[in-house]
Amino acid sequence: MVKRRARSTQVVTGCALVAALLVAGCGGGDTDSAATTTKRSPQSTTSATTPPGDTKPAAVTVAVDDMKFAPAEITVKTGDTVTWHFADKAPHTVQGIGDKAMGLNSPIIDKGDWSYTFTVPGTYRYLCSLHPEMRGTITVQ
């Protein structure tokens, strides 16, 4: 009887573990998720870079001012965060161009910061949806 109960407990525990793993694996079905985004208040304007040889993710800032993204072309590593600092007279957005950059989709921002963490290597092109002549490219290695 004790042997049978121990076996039943093992089977129930094993089934519960498998069920928990299956539920945890049922996220959104997007296995090629490219990033996470955050919006910060206007007073948060600091940026940090990673020293050579350091394996921590870097933070890179792109200025959105004078109707342009500066720098317009940057290269970052997988896991790095890019922050767009909006300081222009007009509102702007960061909108990805093409399938690879579809996660780049900021709200319309007058002043402040918007960040995106790149988790998948590739080339990400973007523009301001309000001013399509404003364009940029991020290469993620």
Side-chain angles (χ1 to χ4, degrees):
M1 179 74 170
V2 173
K3 194 175 197 178
R4 182 184 237 183
R5 180 174 277 165
R7 180 71 178 147
S8 294
T9 302
Q10 289 175 343
V11 169
V12 169
T13 303
C15 289
L17 179 61
V18 168
L21 290 172
L22 287 173
V23 169
C26 292
D30 186 6
T31 58
D32 196 22
S33 142
T36 58
T37 63
T38 56
K39 184 177 185 242
R40 296 186 301 189
S41 62
Q43 59 269 26
S44 303
T45 60
T46 59
S47 67
T49 57
T50 305
D54 197 344
T55 59
K56 294 179 185 176
V60 178
T61 300
V62 174
V64 184
D65 196 12
D66 198 26
M67 299 298 287
K68 64 183 174 204
F69 295 111
E73 295 183 15
I74 60 174
T75 299
V76 298
K77 294 189 183 310
T78 301
D80 288 353
T81 298
V82 176
T83 298
W84 285 264
H85 177 67
F86 296 83
D88 208 346
K89 294 176 184 175
H92 298 288
T93 67
V94 175
Q95 179 68 54
I97 301 171
D99 292 340
K100 185 75 171 173
M102 290 311 291
L104 287 170
N105 189 15
S106 79
I108 297 172
I109 301 176
D110 289 321
K111 303 284 183 206
D113 293 342
W114 182 76
S115 297
Y116 190 89
T117 301
F118 291 87
T119 59
V120 177
T123 300
Y124 296 79
R125 296 178 309 124
Y126 65 93
L127 55 75
C128 171
S129 61
L130 303 174
H131 310 100
E133 68 279 4
M134 293 175 58
R135 294 176 177 259
T137 304
I138 298 172
T139 302
V140 182
Q141 300 177 333

